[in-house]
């Protein structure tokens, strides 16, 4: 009887030792940067191993020893083991465990994150951000290290909720000065969707709220400008650090000189997003229709095509553009895109939070998502960024690409 008890004790001894062992690892979750953790996706030195029902502790211990586990911790409820392995060998160890008949499954110990929700006072009215799954995207990227050029009426930082020191005064091609301030309100609204200061208890949130905003003024206070202004603005932005260019502007006629400017920016690594147009026509306007632009149409709250949005063969994707004639989400406000900007009356600016609608509001959603992509994939070419946006879009309308929705609703 004593011999039997001794034999059992000997069999269990390796299990007790392995479960109690503590092997230090070079990876420290508490000190690693958030960017590093998000790039890794899973712990570089530990895996999860579940055994099939009925497998004895002695057999489990033998398995762990045979594959070279450093230490083992039994989970709550004893459903699986957390296994410490040499850093950088996770994939190898998962394969090794998976080939053992007594193992039910083995997998990495994936990282999980809180779902960031901004505390901005009017964020709850920004239904458009939830539609493109921004809360989940913000757990991986906020646009850090990127620059988005707003080729528009300029950008004005003088409201209640500005851009947190990230606004770069670029150039004014209307008056040929360095003052690219907005005297219309359109460009400021567009810039807010892309990069408004976020999580500051004030106003609205922005998509890529850690991206730099480069203001390039090409339209006057009435929202009108020459094609030559746009051409110069595109080339200047490409030469002055833009990773993304947003153009919430356009017309029905193309220009070879303008397309040459788009191609110049594209060939210099810049992603270009442009509005498809608001004429309810079946032809995409220019510059959006150029091959190297991402042409963005507009959807409403119900994910149907906005009644004003241009469609056609050149359409690539759609994004929320709003419809101020309806209140489909029943929040007692029109279903437009909410951002801070100003109205201008008798040379005075009146700042407030305005609901706008249009493909002008849709395009900056795509530009903001492009900045999120580039932030975590800085070596991506414009073609790779475009593919990331198009291939991940929520398919609407006919299966696959169609002229009403393109590849679908962008999904951050």
């Amino acid at each position: 009887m004593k011999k039997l008890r001794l034999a059992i004790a000997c069999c269990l001894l390796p299990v007790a030792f392995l479960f109690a062992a503590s092997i230090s690892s070079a990876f420290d979750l508490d000190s690693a940067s958030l960017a590093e953790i998000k790039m890794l996706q899973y712990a570089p030195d530990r895996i999860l191993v579940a055994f099939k029902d009925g497998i004895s502790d002695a057999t489990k211990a033998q398995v762990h020893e045979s594959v070279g586990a450093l230490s083992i911790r039994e989970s709550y409820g004893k459903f699986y083991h957390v296994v410490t392995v040499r850093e950088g060998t996770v994939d190898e160890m998962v394969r090794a465990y998976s080939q053992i008949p007594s193992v039910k499954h083995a997998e990495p110990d994936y990282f999980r994150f809180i779902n960031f929700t901004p505390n901005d006072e009017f964020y709850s009215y920004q239904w458009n951000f939830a539609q493109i799954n921004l809360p989940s995207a913000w757990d991986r990227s906020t646009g850090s290290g990127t620059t988005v050029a707003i080729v528009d009426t300029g950008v004005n930082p003088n409201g209640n909720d500005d851009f947190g020191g990230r606004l770069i005064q670029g150039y004014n091609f209307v008056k040929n000065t360095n003052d690219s301030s907005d005297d219309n309100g359109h460009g400021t609204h567009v810039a807010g969707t892309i990069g408004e200061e976020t999580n500051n208890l004030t106003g609205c949130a922005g998509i890529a709220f850690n991206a730099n905003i480069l203001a390039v003024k090409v339209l006057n206070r009435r929202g009108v400008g020459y094609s030559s202004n746009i051409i110069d603005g595109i080339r200047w932005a490409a030469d002055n650090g833009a990773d993304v260019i947003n153009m919430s502007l356009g017309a029905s006629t193309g220009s070879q000189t303008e397309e040459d400017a788009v191609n110049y920016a594209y060939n210099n690594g810049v992603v270009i997003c442009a509005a498809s147009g608001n004429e309810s026509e079946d032809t995409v306007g220019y510059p959006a229709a150029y091959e190297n632009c991402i042409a963005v149409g507009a959807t409403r709250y119900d994910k149907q095509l906005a009644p004003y949005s241009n469609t056609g063969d050149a359409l690539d994707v759609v994004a929320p553009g709003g419809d101020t004639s309806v209140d489909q989400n029943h929040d007692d406000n029109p279903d437009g895109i909410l951002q801070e900007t100003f109205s201008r009356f008798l040379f005075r600016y009146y700042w407030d939070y305005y609901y706008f609608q249009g493909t002008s509001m849709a395009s900056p959603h795509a530009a903001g998502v492009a900045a999120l992509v580039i932030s975590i994939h800085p070596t991506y070419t414009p073609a790779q960024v475009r593919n990331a946006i198009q291939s991940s879009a929520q398919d609407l309308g006919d299966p696959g690409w169609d002229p009403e929705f393109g590849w679908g609703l962008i999904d951050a």
Side-chain angles (χ1 to χ4, degrees):
M1 196 68 176
K2 287 182 180 180
K3 289 183 180 180
L4 179 60
R5 281 199 297 269
L6 180 59
I8 294 174
C10 289
C11 288
L12 292 181
L13 183 59
V15 180
F17 170 76
L18 283 169
F19 276 49
S22 177
I23 306 297
S24 62
S25 169
F27 181 78
D28 183 357
L29 186 62
D30 291 332
S31 62
S33 71
L34 189 59
E36 177 187 2
I37 294 168
K38 288 180 176 180
M39 288 296 290
L40 287 172
Q41 298 187 358
Y42 54 78
D45 60 350
R46 53 196 278 170
I47 65 175
L48 310 182
V49 178
F51 288 90
K52 295 177 181 177
D53 292 342
I55 303 300
S56 68
D57 288 344
T59 299
K60 293 175 183 178
Q62 290 168 359
V63 167
H64 291 312
E65 185 177 5
S66 71
V67 297
L70 299 182
S71 68
I72 296 92
R73 176 176 61 81
E74 200 165 44
S75 75
Y76 168 78
K78 300 183 179 181
F79 295 109
Y80 63 92
H81 292 171
V82 179
V83 181
T84 303
V85 301
R86 293 190 308 279
E87 189 167 344
T89 65
V90 165
D91 292 341
E92 173 189 339
M93 295 295 279
V94 165
R95 286 193 297 269
Y97 273 101
S98 297
Q99 294 170 1
I100 296 173
S102 59
V103 172
K104 183 179 179 182
H105 56 76
E107 60 188 1
D109 196 355
Y110 291 98
F111 295 124
R112 294 291 183 259
F113 309 90
I114 59 171
N115 282 321
F116 170 71
T117 301
N119 61 20
D120 304 83
E121 57 186 325
F122 300 135
Y123 174 70
S124 61
Y125 295 101
Q126 293 183 279
W127 55 267
N128 43 309
F129 285 179
Q131 281 208 344
I132 64 171
N133 291 322
L134 264 178
S136 296
W138 280 328
D139 291 335
R140 293 204 61 198
S141 177
T142 58
S144 298
T146 66
T147 298
V148 183
I150 314 299
V151 177
D152 209 292
T153 62
V155 182
N156 199 322
N158 296 325
N160 298 314
D161 188 12
D162 59 23
F163 298 92
R166 293 171 289 106
L167 177 60
I168 303 170
Q169 286 295 325
Y171 197 80
N172 182 334
F173 286 95
V174 176
K175 296 183 178 180
N176 290 314
T177 71
N178 291 322
D179 182 6
S180 55
S181 297
D182 189 3
D183 52 6
N184 173 276
H186 184 271
T188 300
H189 194 284
V190 166
T193 295
I194 293 172
E196 189 75 82
E197 189 171 6
T198 300
N199 208 40
N200 64 339
L201 295 171
T202 304
C204 296
I207 293 171
F209 57 81
N210 278 321
N212 294 318
I213 302 297
L214 178 62
V216 184
K217 184 172 176 60
V218 296
L219 305 177
N220 67 13
R221 65 183 180 85
R222 297 171 59 221
V224 180
Y226 296 106
S227 178
S228 56
N229 292 349
I230 282 75
I231 293 164
D232 290 344
I234 294 169
R235 288 181 174 271
W236 188 92
D239 289 342
N240 285 272
D243 300 296
V244 182
I245 291 174
N246 183 79
M247 290 186 285
S248 290
L249 49 80
S252 59
T253 305
S255 156
Q256 185 59 60
T257 312
E258 189 175 72
E259 184 171 16
D260 288 346
V262 166
N263 293 341
Y264 172 82
Y266 181 88
N267 291 332
N268 280 277
V270 183
V271 177
I272 307 115
C273 299
S276 71
N278 300 329
E279 292 75 36
S280 305
E281 295 180 351
D282 59 2
T283 302
V284 172
Y286 295 91
Y290 300 134
E291 182 178 354
N292 287 325
C293 275
I294 299 175
V296 188
T299 52
R300 311 190 309 171
Y301 176 82
D302 61 2
K303 296 188 180 180
Q304 295 301 304
L305 192 71
Y308 51 79
S309 185
N310 287 0
T311 61
D313 291 344
L315 188 69
D316 294 303
V317 291
V318 291
D323 184 349
T324 57
S325 70
V326 296
D327 179 19
Q328 295 178 323
N329 63 351
H330 307 295
D331 66 355
D332 296 323
N333 288 285
D335 289 343
I337 304 303
L338 184 65
Q339 281 297 341
E340 186 182 25
T341 189
F342 59 89
S343 61
R344 189 172 183 268
F345 180 70
L346 296 178
F347 304 103
R348 292 189 63 185
Y349 289 16
Y350 297 88
W351 285 87
D352 210 335
Y353 296 90
Y354 293 89
Y355 287 98
F356 283 7
Q357 69 172 24
T359 55
S360 280
M361 283 56 259
S363 182
H365 285 75
V369 170
L372 299 183
V373 173
I374 294 168
S375 180
I376 58 173
H377 297 291
T379 63
Y380 267 20
T381 65
Q384 288 174 306
V385 176
R386 181 186 200 133
N387 181 65
I389 292 172
Q390 292 180 170
S391 64
S392 63
Q394 306 169 45
D395 193 14
L396 302 176
D398 295 336
W401 181 90
D402 63 72
E404 284 76 36
F405 298 96
W407 292 103
L409 180 66
I410 63 171
D411 188 336

